[in-house]
Amino acid sequence: MYTEADEKAAGDLKNSGSLDHVSLSGIDKDEVYSLEEQRAIIHRIDRRLSIVVLVFFPTYVVFQPPATVLTRKLGPRKFLASICLLWGVIEIVSCADHGLSTDNELTLVKAFGFVQKWTHLLALRVLLGILESGLYPSIVYLLATWYSRYDVGKRYSAFYVVGCVALAFGGILAFGLMQMDGLAGKAGWRWIFIIEGMVTCVVSLGAYFFLVDFPENAHTSWNFLNQQECDFVIRRVNKDRGDALPESFTLARFLKPALDFKLWVFALISLYVLKASQCLAAPPYVLAVLLMILSAYLGDHFQVRGPILVVNSLIALIGLPLMGFASTPGTRYFGVFLVTAGTNANIPTSLAYQANNVRGQWKRALCSAMFVAFGGIGGISGGTIFRSQDAPRYLPGIGAAIACNGLVILFVLGLSGYFWLKNRKADRGEIVIEGSKGFRYTI
């Protein structure tokens, strides 16, 4: 986006936090603008870039609950394929030249967009947040409707592992597309958005035909299952928790579960798990994948979630001080292994933890949305705790990650203790959990 000199000047501005301290080394030879004018322009561009980045997140978080409702109402094929197609189009539209500065200002950057004004780019980013808000919570919700409580852990882990692999290949693809720099007069990074946007559109069209609907409608999805097989899946889920078929929708029925404190604790666990994972820059994911698979297998086999979350957080807590305070590079790198494994393994495990302990289609839809939304908030805030001015030790970020893992342990211990007490009362016939006599919480 910048020339090398402009990038250096903007970086200095960010690090100093003050317009008065912008380095002039890269901007002191312009024949049109004075030093003060150049600094003011850089400051304005930096502010606009920050706004462009941030406007995505409010809509991404706020629209997740209604997205799960639309998934249930419209069906995953129509809804998920549509939002993916639209954001692929936005990605393509947002990749040609436009200036972030006004017409008579120094053009230091050109960013996304066939649009010609940065305010138009803001609108596209807001729309992109709305569209992308529907994907992750809808998939989390859809998977939970298909599997019994002690089958879903392995599926969440598989889903997360596939996402990690896709990200890894995305980096390789981006490197390859950068080699198209200059082709058709476009910079390499613009080709990344053009090609990946086109791929997204093509995949969305395939998703419309090959995505599988909810169990009661799956026989209509390209003969994925026949009616008898769908009935078997429904019987199996009903035997496990008795909520395979959806109730009729009302806004009160959808929002009432928000009064259940468990949903907020699950959401906070997601927030701190995602926030703790932000300390990973280029981590060794092989160990993380192995621990994810092991955590999923043990959790499903022994029908527990909380103890696994605690153990994984303890693994991360061992690694974080090694990363932050060890003197030798080898020890610090070993800490990276531990932190990567512990924090990433806790993401699918915490997904299974919340899915195992709620009942009812609309409650599950709201819980999935809240969980993913708070995880998004954790990711946003987590991205701010590792600041360039704290390099090379990043001690404030390490400290925040340690606190997050400690809070995860406290929340899980408290919630699991509450579950244990409620299960004891249900066994004695004193209470009915989640409206079902046979339902018990997963500790």
Side-chain angles (χ1 to χ4, degrees):
M1 289 185 181
Y2 299 92
T3 66
E4 184 177 352
D6 295 331
E7 195 170 52
K8 184 180 187 304
D12 289 339
L13 173 62
K14 291 181 181 179
N15 293 338
S16 68
S18 170
L19 182 61
D20 294 334
H21 293 87
V22 176
S23 171
L24 302 180
S25 61
I27 59 172
D28 58 356
K29 296 180 180 180
D30 189 79
E31 297 178 356
V32 177
Y33 292 93
S34 68
L35 300 182
E36 290 297 327
E37 288 172 330
Q38 291 181 64
R39 286 193 296 185
I41 292 169
I42 292 174
H43 182 64
R44 180 161 53 252
I45 293 168
D46 187 54
R47 184 176 65 250
R48 290 178 177 181
L49 284 171
S50 298
I51 294 172
V52 166
V53 171
L54 290 175
V55 293
F56 169 87
F57 295 105
T59 52
Y60 177 75
V61 171
V62 169
F63 281 88
Q64 291 196 17
T68 55
V69 176
L70 289 173
T71 302
R72 169 51 80 176
K73 286 293 188 179
L74 301 177
R77 290 174 59 239
K78 293 179 181 178
F79 180 68
L80 294 178
S82 297
I83 63 174
C84 288
L85 177 63
L86 288 173
W87 91 50
V89 171
I90 289 177
E91 194 171 6
I92 296 171
V93 168
S94 301
C95 70
D97 293 343
H98 98 287
L100 286 182
S101 56
T102 59
D103 290 340
N104 22 342
E105 290 174 346
L106 179 64
T107 305
L108 291 177
V109 297
K110 289 185 178 179
F112 316 98
F114 285 115
V115 293
Q116 295 300 312
K117 294 183 179 180
W118 79 283
T119 51
H120 295 172
L121 181 60
L122 288 180
L124 286 177
R125 288 282 295 172
V126 169
L127 183 58
L128 193 63
I130 295 173
L131 295 172
E132 290 200 27
S133 70
L135 181 66
Y136 196 26
S138 298
I139 293 175
V140 170
Y141 172 44
L142 178 62
L143 284 173
T145 63
W146 269 93
Y147 295 101
S148 65
R149 288 180 294 161
Y150 305 117
D151 288 332
V152 76
K154 291 188 287 289
R155 276 70 186 184
Y156 280 142
S157 289
F159 170 59
Y160 188 71
V161 168
V162 169
C164 291
V165 172
L167 285 175
F169 278 102
I172 297 172
L173 177 62
F175 175 79
L177 294 176
M178 283 295 292
Q179 310 313 307
M180 298 174 66
D181 185 57
L183 185 64
K186 296 186 181 299
W189 65 267
R190 297 188 191 279
W191 283 110
I192 294 175
F193 287 97
I194 294 172
I195 301 300
E196 292 189 355
M198 293 173 62
V199 170
T200 300
C201 291
V202 171
V203 170
S204 69
L205 295 175
Y208 178 80
F209 294 101
F210 292 107
L211 269 176
V212 178
D213 211 317
F214 290 98
E216 68 272 16
N217 299 320
H219 61 281
T220 65
S221 302
W222 54 277
N223 296 320
F224 179 72
L225 295 177
N226 60 40
Q227 183 65 63
Q228 290 74 25
E229 291 167 330
C230 291
D231 292 341
F232 164 74
V233 172
I234 292 171
R235 289 195 304 270
R236 194 166 185 270
V237 172
N238 276 331
K239 184 178 179 180
D240 177 60
R241 58 179 185 268
D243 69 349
L245 298 176
E247 313 95 334
S248 60
F249 175 81
T250 65
L251 185 61
R253 178 172 286 162
F254 179 65
L255 295 179
K256 185 178 179 180
L259 299 175
D260 188 341
F261 83 97
K262 299 193 304 292
L263 273 65
W264 295 97
V265 178
F266 290 138
L268 288 172
I269 290 172
S270 175
L271 187 154
Y272 290 118
V273 166
L274 266 295
K275 189 167 183 175
S277 69
Q278 296 303 303
C279 62
L280 310 176
Y285 275 98
V286 174
L287 180 62
V289 168
L290 293 176
L291 186 58
M292 272 186 245
I293 295 171
L294 179 63
S295 297
Y297 173 79
L298 293 176
D300 284 352
H301 182 75
F302 293 104
Q303 301 184 359
V304 295
R305 306 296 182 195
I308 295 173
L309 283 167
V310 171
V311 170
N312 288 341
S313 292
L314 289 173
I315 291 173
L317 283 174
I318 294 171
L320 282 163
L322 295 179
M323 284 178 58
F325 305 108
S327 57
T328 61
T331 305
R332 296 178 68 186
Y333 193 56
F334 176 67
V336 173
F337 270 82
L338 296 181
V339 176
T340 304
T343 56
N344 280 276
N346 261 353
I347 294 173
T349 303
S350 57
L351 282 170
Y353 190 46
Q354 60 87 24
N356 284 181
N357 289 303
V358 295
R359 185 178 170 276
Q361 287 281 335
W362 297 119
K363 186 172 187 176
R364 187 174 305 282
L366 180 62
C367 188
S368 298
M370 289 175 59
F371 185 92
V372 177
F374 271 65
I377 295 171
I380 299 165
S381 59
T384 67
I385 62 176
F386 288 88
R387 305 172 301 175
S388 58
Q389 58 263 45
D390 298 325
R393 310 296 287 189
Y394 297 100
L395 296 183
I398 296 292
I402 290 173
C404 288
N405 278 286
L407 286 170
V408 169
I409 292 174
L410 290 177
F411 283 135
V412 170
L413 290 177
L415 199 55
S416 294
Y418 170 81
F419 288 160
W420 181 79
L421 291 174
K422 291 296 183 180
N423 285 347
R424 291 286 300 274
K425 289 184 178 181
D427 290 341
R428 295 194 297 265
E430 298 174 6
I431 61 171
V432 175
I433 298 175
E434 295 284 318
S436 175
K437 290 184 178 180
F439 188 87
R440 296 294 183 270
Y441 288 124
T442 299
I443 295 175

PDB file of all heavy atoms in Angstrom, residues 149-150 153 294-309 349 352-353 356-357 416 441-443:
ATOM      1  N   ARG A 149     -23.972 -35.676  21.890  1.00  0.00           N
ATOM      2  CA  ARG A 149     -23.055 -34.810  22.634  1.00  0.00           C
ATOM      3  C   ARG A 149     -21.639 -35.359  22.700  1.00  0.00           C
ATOM      4  O   ARG A 149     -20.677 -34.591  22.780  1.00  0.00           O
ATOM      5  CB  ARG A 149     -23.588 -34.604  24.056  1.00  0.00           C
ATOM      6  CG  ARG A 149     -24.811 -33.698  24.114  1.00  0.00           C
ATOM      7  CD  ARG A 149     -25.290 -33.519  25.526  1.00  0.00           C
ATOM      8  NE  ARG A 149     -25.793 -34.757  26.082  1.00  0.00           N
ATOM      9  CZ  ARG A 149     -25.947 -34.996  27.390  1.00  0.00           C
ATOM     10  NH1 ARG A 149     -25.594 -34.079  28.266  1.00  0.00           N
ATOM     11  NH2 ARG A 149     -26.439 -36.142  27.808  1.00  0.00           N
ATOM     12  N   TYR A 150     -21.498 -36.681  22.649  1.00  0.00           N
ATOM     13  CA  TYR A 150     -20.157 -37.243  22.796  1.00  0.00           C
ATOM     14  C   TYR A 150     -19.600 -37.767  21.481  1.00  0.00           C
ATOM     15  O   TYR A 150     -18.662 -38.558  21.448  1.00  0.00           O
ATOM     16  CB  TYR A 150     -20.172 -38.325  23.885  1.00  0.00           C
ATOM     17  CG  TYR A 150     -20.730 -37.758  25.164  1.00  0.00           C
ATOM     18  CD1 TYR A 150     -21.915 -38.248  25.714  1.00  0.00           C
ATOM     19  CD2 TYR A 150     -20.109 -36.677  25.780  1.00  0.00           C
ATOM     20  CE1 TYR A 150     -22.438 -37.682  26.860  1.00  0.00           C
ATOM     21  CE2 TYR A 150     -20.635 -36.110  26.923  1.00  0.00           C
ATOM     22  CZ  TYR A 150     -21.797 -36.609  27.459  1.00  0.00           C
ATOM     23  OH  TYR A 150     -22.329 -36.038  28.591  1.00  0.00           O
ATOM     24  N   GLY A 153     -17.327 -33.622  19.700  1.00  0.00           N
ATOM     25  CA  GLY A 153     -15.996 -33.101  19.984  1.00  0.00           C
ATOM     26  C   GLY A 153     -15.011 -33.364  18.855  1.00  0.00           C
ATOM     27  O   GLY A 153     -14.256 -32.463  18.446  1.00  0.00           O
ATOM     28  N   LEU A 294      -6.201 -35.529  20.259  1.00  0.00           N
ATOM     29  CA  LEU A 294      -6.198 -36.268  21.524  1.00  0.00           C
ATOM     30  C   LEU A 294      -7.271 -35.741  22.476  1.00  0.00           C
ATOM     31  O   LEU A 294      -7.996 -36.521  23.110  1.00  0.00           O
ATOM     32  CB  LEU A 294      -4.822 -36.167  22.175  1.00  0.00           C
ATOM     33  CG  LEU A 294      -4.663 -36.876  23.531  1.00  0.00           C
ATOM     34  CD1 LEU A 294      -4.869 -38.381  23.375  1.00  0.00           C
ATOM     35  CD2 LEU A 294      -3.289 -36.576  24.128  1.00  0.00           C
ATOM     36  N   SER A 295      -7.386 -34.408  22.570  1.00  0.00           N
ATOM     37  CA  SER A 295      -8.394 -33.811  23.455  1.00  0.00           C
ATOM     38  C   SER A 295      -9.800 -34.210  23.024  1.00  0.00           C
ATOM     39  O   SER A 295     -10.656 -34.522  23.868  1.00  0.00           O
ATOM     40  CB  SER A 295      -8.261 -32.283  23.445  1.00  0.00           C
ATOM     41  OG  SER A 295      -7.020 -31.872  23.956  1.00  0.00           O
ATOM     42  N   ALA A 296     -10.057 -34.199  21.718  1.00  0.00           N
ATOM     43  CA  ALA A 296     -11.380 -34.562  21.215  1.00  0.00           C
ATOM     44  C   ALA A 296     -11.689 -36.023  21.500  1.00  0.00           C
ATOM     45  O   ALA A 296     -12.805 -36.368  21.932  1.00  0.00           O
ATOM     46  CB  ALA A 296     -11.463 -34.279  19.720  1.00  0.00           C
ATOM     47  N   TYR A 297     -10.711 -36.894  21.259  1.00  0.00           N
ATOM     48  CA  TYR A 297     -10.938 -38.326  21.501  1.00  0.00           C
ATOM     49  C   TYR A 297     -11.200 -38.603  22.976  1.00  0.00           C
ATOM     50  O   TYR A 297     -12.161 -39.306  23.324  1.00  0.00           O
ATOM     51  CB  TYR A 297      -9.724 -39.129  21.027  1.00  0.00           C
ATOM     52  CG  TYR A 297      -9.817 -40.591  21.401  1.00  0.00           C
ATOM     53  CD1 TYR A 297     -10.610 -41.468  20.658  1.00  0.00           C
ATOM     54  CD2 TYR A 297      -9.133 -41.084  22.506  1.00  0.00           C
ATOM     55  CE1 TYR A 297     -10.722 -42.807  21.025  1.00  0.00           C
ATOM     56  CE2 TYR A 297      -9.236 -42.422  22.876  1.00  0.00           C
ATOM     57  CZ  TYR A 297     -10.034 -43.279  22.135  1.00  0.00           C
ATOM     58  OH  TYR A 297     -10.149 -44.593  22.504  1.00  0.00           O
ATOM     59  N   LEU A 298     -10.354 -38.050  23.852  1.00  0.00           N
ATOM     60  CA  LEU A 298     -10.530 -38.293  25.285  1.00  0.00           C
ATOM     61  C   LEU A 298     -11.841 -37.697  25.792  1.00  0.00           C
ATOM     62  O   LEU A 298     -12.537 -38.307  26.612  1.00  0.00           O
ATOM     63  CB  LEU A 298      -9.351 -37.704  26.059  1.00  0.00           C
ATOM     64  CG  LEU A 298      -7.986 -38.365  25.829  1.00  0.00           C
ATOM     65  CD1 LEU A 298      -6.896 -37.618  26.592  1.00  0.00           C
ATOM     66  CD2 LEU A 298      -8.007 -39.827  26.237  1.00  0.00           C
ATOM     67  N   GLY A 299     -12.180 -36.501  25.311  1.00  0.00           N
ATOM     68  CA  GLY A 299     -13.416 -35.868  25.747  1.00  0.00           C
ATOM     69  C   GLY A 299     -14.647 -36.654  25.348  1.00  0.00           C
ATOM     70  O   GLY A 299     -15.569 -36.840  26.159  1.00  0.00           O
ATOM     71  N   ASP A 300     -14.684 -37.136  24.091  1.00  0.00           N
ATOM     72  CA  ASP A 300     -15.829 -37.927  23.651  1.00  0.00           C
ATOM     73  C   ASP A 300     -15.861 -39.288  24.329  1.00  0.00           C
ATOM     74  O   ASP A 300     -16.927 -39.777  24.717  1.00  0.00           O
ATOM     75  CB  ASP A 300     -15.766 -38.113  22.127  1.00  0.00           C
ATOM     76  CG  ASP A 300     -16.173 -36.859  21.368  1.00  0.00           C
ATOM     77  OD1 ASP A 300     -16.657 -35.900  22.010  1.00  0.00           O
ATOM     78  OD2 ASP A 300     -16.004 -36.826  20.121  1.00  0.00           O
ATOM     79  N   HIS A 301     -14.695 -39.892  24.487  1.00  0.00           N
ATOM     80  CA  HIS A 301     -14.645 -41.241  25.055  1.00  0.00           C
ATOM     81  C   HIS A 301     -15.032 -41.261  26.531  1.00  0.00           C
ATOM     82  O   HIS A 301     -15.821 -42.109  26.972  1.00  0.00           O
ATOM     83  CB  HIS A 301     -13.249 -41.834  24.870  1.00  0.00           C
ATOM     84  CG  HIS A 301     -13.121 -43.240  25.375  1.00  0.00           C
ATOM     85  ND1 HIS A 301     -13.652 -44.320  24.696  1.00  0.00           N
ATOM     86  CD2 HIS A 301     -12.528 -43.740  26.500  1.00  0.00           C
ATOM     87  CE1 HIS A 301     -13.393 -45.435  25.376  1.00  0.00           C
ATOM     88  NE2 HIS A 301     -12.718 -45.105  26.463  1.00  0.00           N
ATOM     89  N   PHE A 302     -14.475 -40.333  27.297  1.00  0.00           N
ATOM     90  CA  PHE A 302     -14.756 -40.306  28.738  1.00  0.00           C
ATOM     91  C   PHE A 302     -15.884 -39.356  29.115  1.00  0.00           C
ATOM     92  O   PHE A 302     -16.219 -39.218  30.292  1.00  0.00           O
ATOM     93  CB  PHE A 302     -13.477 -39.919  29.495  1.00  0.00           C
ATOM     94  CG  PHE A 302     -12.395 -40.957  29.414  1.00  0.00           C
ATOM     95  CD1 PHE A 302     -11.304 -40.774  28.580  1.00  0.00           C
ATOM     96  CD2 PHE A 302     -12.488 -42.127  30.150  1.00  0.00           C
ATOM     97  CE1 PHE A 302     -10.301 -41.731  28.492  1.00  0.00           C
ATOM     98  CE2 PHE A 302     -11.496 -43.098  30.069  1.00  0.00           C
ATOM     99  CZ  PHE A 302     -10.396 -42.902  29.246  1.00  0.00           C
ATOM    100  N   GLN A 303     -16.470 -38.692  28.107  1.00  0.00           N
ATOM    101  CA  GLN A 303     -17.631 -37.820  28.302  1.00  0.00           C
ATOM    102  C   GLN A 303     -17.337 -36.706  29.308  1.00  0.00           C
ATOM    103  O   GLN A 303     -18.121 -36.436  30.216  1.00  0.00           O
ATOM    104  CB  GLN A 303     -18.854 -38.647  28.720  1.00  0.00           C
ATOM    105  CG  GLN A 303     -19.219 -39.711  27.705  1.00  0.00           C
ATOM    106  CD  GLN A 303     -20.484 -40.482  28.043  1.00  0.00           C
ATOM    107  OE1 GLN A 303     -21.115 -40.234  29.066  1.00  0.00           O
ATOM    108  NE2 GLN A 303     -20.856 -41.416  27.189  1.00  0.00           N
ATOM    109  N   VAL A 304     -16.204 -36.052  29.108  1.00  0.00           N
ATOM    110  CA  VAL A 304     -15.811 -34.908  29.943  1.00  0.00           C
ATOM    111  C   VAL A 304     -15.286 -33.803  29.035  1.00  0.00           C
ATOM    112  O   VAL A 304     -14.793 -34.059  27.937  1.00  0.00           O
ATOM    113  CB  VAL A 304     -14.735 -35.281  30.984  1.00  0.00           C
ATOM    114  CG1 VAL A 304     -15.270 -36.264  32.002  1.00  0.00           C
ATOM    115  CG2 VAL A 304     -13.483 -35.822  30.307  1.00  0.00           C
ATOM    116  N   ARG A 305     -15.383 -32.570  29.491  1.00  0.00           N
ATOM    117  CA  ARG A 305     -14.840 -31.424  28.751  1.00  0.00           C
ATOM    118  C   ARG A 305     -14.020 -30.512  29.657  1.00  0.00           C
ATOM    119  O   ARG A 305     -12.936 -30.081  29.299  1.00  0.00           O
ATOM    120  CB  ARG A 305     -15.987 -30.601  28.124  1.00  0.00           C
ATOM    121  CG  ARG A 305     -16.939 -31.396  27.249  1.00  0.00           C
ATOM    122  CD  ARG A 305     -16.262 -31.966  26.026  1.00  0.00           C
ATOM    123  NE  ARG A 305     -17.236 -32.697  25.189  1.00  0.00           N
ATOM    124  CZ  ARG A 305     -16.910 -33.538  24.226  1.00  0.00           C
ATOM    125  NH1 ARG A 305     -15.641 -33.767  23.948  1.00  0.00           N
ATOM    126  NH2 ARG A 305     -17.840 -34.167  23.537  1.00  0.00           N
ATOM    127  N   GLY A 306     -14.578 -30.198  30.835  1.00  0.00           N
ATOM    128  CA  GLY A 306     -13.923 -29.250  31.723  1.00  0.00           C
ATOM    129  C   GLY A 306     -12.494 -29.612  32.098  1.00  0.00           C
ATOM    130  O   GLY A 306     -11.590 -28.765  31.995  1.00  0.00           O
ATOM    131  N   PRO A 307     -12.231 -30.851  32.553  1.00  0.00           N
ATOM    132  CA  PRO A 307     -10.858 -31.205  32.901  1.00  0.00           C
ATOM    133  C   PRO A 307      -9.872 -31.056  31.748  1.00  0.00           C
ATOM    134  O   PRO A 307      -8.717 -30.673  31.958  1.00  0.00           O
ATOM    135  CB  PRO A 307     -10.981 -32.678  33.334  1.00  0.00           C
ATOM    136  CG  PRO A 307     -12.389 -32.812  33.813  1.00  0.00           C
ATOM    137  CD  PRO A 307     -13.183 -31.922  32.908  1.00  0.00           C
ATOM    138  N   ILE A 308     -10.329 -31.335  30.529  1.00  0.00           N
ATOM    139  CA  ILE A 308      -9.449 -31.195  29.366  1.00  0.00           C
ATOM    140  C   ILE A 308      -9.138 -29.724  29.120  1.00  0.00           C
ATOM    141  O   ILE A 308      -7.992 -29.356  28.808  1.00  0.00           O
ATOM    142  CB  ILE A 308     -10.091 -31.856  28.143  1.00  0.00           C
ATOM    143  CG1 ILE A 308     -10.203 -33.360  28.365  1.00  0.00           C
ATOM    144  CG2 ILE A 308      -9.286 -31.566  26.875  1.00  0.00           C
ATOM    145  CD1 ILE A 308     -10.963 -34.106  27.301  1.00  0.00           C
ATOM    146  N   LEU A 309     -10.144 -28.864  29.262  1.00  0.00           N
ATOM    147  CA  LEU A 309      -9.903 -27.421  29.128  1.00  0.00           C
ATOM    148  C   LEU A 309      -8.881 -26.940  30.148  1.00  0.00           C
ATOM    149  O   LEU A 309      -7.995 -26.133  29.841  1.00  0.00           O
ATOM    150  CB  LEU A 309     -11.212 -26.655  29.306  1.00  0.00           C
ATOM    151  CG  LEU A 309     -12.183 -26.662  28.118  1.00  0.00           C
ATOM    152  CD1 LEU A 309     -13.555 -26.141  28.544  1.00  0.00           C
ATOM    153  CD2 LEU A 309     -11.643 -25.829  26.974  1.00  0.00           C
ATOM    154  N   THR A 349     -12.397 -27.776  21.950  1.00  0.00           N
ATOM    155  CA  THR A 349     -12.870 -28.359  23.207  1.00  0.00           C
ATOM    156  C   THR A 349     -13.909 -27.469  23.870  1.00  0.00           C
ATOM    157  O   THR A 349     -14.921 -27.958  24.394  1.00  0.00           O
ATOM    158  CB  THR A 349     -11.689 -28.586  24.168  1.00  0.00           C
ATOM    159  OG1 THR A 349     -10.707 -29.413  23.535  1.00  0.00           O
ATOM    160  CG2 THR A 349     -12.152 -29.268  25.445  1.00  0.00           C
ATOM    161  N   ALA A 352     -17.228 -27.818  22.114  1.00  0.00           N
ATOM    162  CA  ALA A 352     -17.939 -29.013  22.554  1.00  0.00           C
ATOM    163  C   ALA A 352     -18.513 -28.829  23.962  1.00  0.00           C
ATOM    164  O   ALA A 352     -19.603 -29.322  24.273  1.00  0.00           O
ATOM    165  CB  ALA A 352     -17.007 -30.217  22.512  1.00  0.00           C
ATOM    166  N   TYR A 353     -17.794 -28.112  24.826  1.00  0.00           N
ATOM    167  CA  TYR A 353     -18.237 -27.876  26.201  1.00  0.00           C
ATOM    168  C   TYR A 353     -19.580 -27.148  26.222  1.00  0.00           C
ATOM    169  O   TYR A 353     -20.510 -27.548  26.934  1.00  0.00           O
ATOM    170  CB  TYR A 353     -17.169 -27.058  26.918  1.00  0.00           C
ATOM    171  CG  TYR A 353     -17.333 -26.914  28.417  1.00  0.00           C
ATOM    172  CD1 TYR A 353     -17.638 -27.996  29.226  1.00  0.00           C
ATOM    173  CD2 TYR A 353     -17.133 -25.673  29.021  1.00  0.00           C
ATOM    174  CE1 TYR A 353     -17.752 -27.858  30.601  1.00  0.00           C
ATOM    175  CE2 TYR A 353     -17.237 -25.520  30.391  1.00  0.00           C
ATOM    176  CZ  TYR A 353     -17.548 -26.616  31.180  1.00  0.00           C
ATOM    177  OH  TYR A 353     -17.653 -26.463  32.544  1.00  0.00           O
ATOM    178  N   ASN A 356     -22.460 -29.358  24.628  1.00  0.00           N
ATOM    179  CA  ASN A 356     -22.904 -30.484  25.459  1.00  0.00           C
ATOM    180  C   ASN A 356     -23.855 -30.070  26.571  1.00  0.00           C
ATOM    181  O   ASN A 356     -24.549 -30.917  27.136  1.00  0.00           O
ATOM    182  CB  ASN A 356     -21.694 -31.170  26.099  1.00  0.00           C
ATOM    183  CG  ASN A 356     -20.922 -32.051  25.140  1.00  0.00           C
ATOM    184  OD1 ASN A 356     -19.940 -32.690  25.505  1.00  0.00           O
ATOM    185  ND2 ASN A 356     -21.333 -32.089  23.877  1.00  0.00           N
ATOM    186  N   ASN A 357     -23.889 -28.789  26.910  1.00  0.00           N
ATOM    187  CA  ASN A 357     -24.581 -28.378  28.139  1.00  0.00           C
ATOM    188  C   ASN A 357     -25.742 -27.429  27.916  1.00  0.00           C
ATOM    189  O   ASN A 357     -26.177 -26.745  28.844  1.00  0.00           O
ATOM    190  CB  ASN A 357     -23.559 -27.747  29.102  1.00  0.00           C
ATOM    191  CG  ASN A 357     -22.631 -28.794  29.673  1.00  0.00           C
ATOM    192  OD1 ASN A 357     -23.055 -29.756  30.286  1.00  0.00           O
ATOM    193  ND2 ASN A 357     -21.330 -28.620  29.438  1.00  0.00           N
ATOM    194  N   SER A 416     -18.063 -26.174  36.179  1.00  0.00           N
ATOM    195  CA  SER A 416     -18.102 -27.625  36.342  1.00  0.00           C
ATOM    196  C   SER A 416     -18.572 -28.004  37.748  1.00  0.00           C
ATOM    197  O   SER A 416     -19.301 -28.990  37.924  1.00  0.00           O
ATOM    198  CB  SER A 416     -16.726 -28.233  36.066  1.00  0.00           C
ATOM    199  OG  SER A 416     -16.367 -28.057  34.701  1.00  0.00           O
ATOM    200  N   TYR A 441     -25.705 -32.593  32.892  1.00  0.00           N
ATOM    201  CA  TYR A 441     -24.631 -31.739  32.397  1.00  0.00           C
ATOM    202  C   TYR A 441     -23.344 -32.530  32.198  1.00  0.00           C
ATOM    203  O   TYR A 441     -23.073 -33.496  32.932  1.00  0.00           O
ATOM    204  CB  TYR A 441     -24.359 -30.605  33.386  1.00  0.00           C
ATOM    205  CG  TYR A 441     -25.422 -29.545  33.434  1.00  0.00           C
ATOM    206  CD1 TYR A 441     -26.053 -29.210  34.632  1.00  0.00           C
ATOM    207  CD2 TYR A 441     -25.802 -28.858  32.276  1.00  0.00           C
ATOM    208  CE1 TYR A 441     -27.017 -28.224  34.685  1.00  0.00           C
ATOM    209  CE2 TYR A 441     -26.769 -27.870  32.318  1.00  0.00           C
ATOM    210  CZ  TYR A 441     -27.386 -27.565  33.520  1.00  0.00           C
ATOM    211  OH  TYR A 441     -28.341 -26.585  33.558  1.00  0.00           O
ATOM    212  N   THR A 442     -22.565 -32.121  31.218  1.00  0.00           N
ATOM    213  CA  THR A 442     -21.247 -32.694  30.994  1.00  0.00           C
ATOM    214  C   THR A 442     -20.216 -31.853  31.737  1.00  0.00           C
ATOM    215  O   THR A 442     -20.098 -30.653  31.496  1.00  0.00           O
ATOM    216  CB  THR A 442     -20.901 -32.694  29.494  1.00  0.00           C
ATOM    217  OG1 THR A 442     -21.864 -33.486  28.800  1.00  0.00           O
ATOM    218  CG2 THR A 442     -19.520 -33.284  29.250  1.00  0.00           C
ATOM    219  N   ILE A 443     -19.517 -32.472  32.648  1.00  0.00           N
ATOM    220  CA  ILE A 443     -18.564 -31.750  33.495  1.00  0.00           C
ATOM    221  C   ILE A 443     -17.245 -31.574  32.739  1.00  0.00           C
ATOM    222  O   ILE A 443     -16.793 -32.455  32.043  1.00  0.00           O
ATOM    223  CB  ILE A 443     -18.338 -32.496  34.814  1.00  0.00           C
ATOM    224  CG1 ILE A 443     -19.652 -32.491  35.606  1.00  0.00           C
ATOM    225  CG2 ILE A 443     -17.227 -31.858  35.636  1.00  0.00           C
ATOM    226  CD1 ILE A 443     -19.613 -33.299  36.880  1.00  0.00           C
TER     227      ILE A 443
END
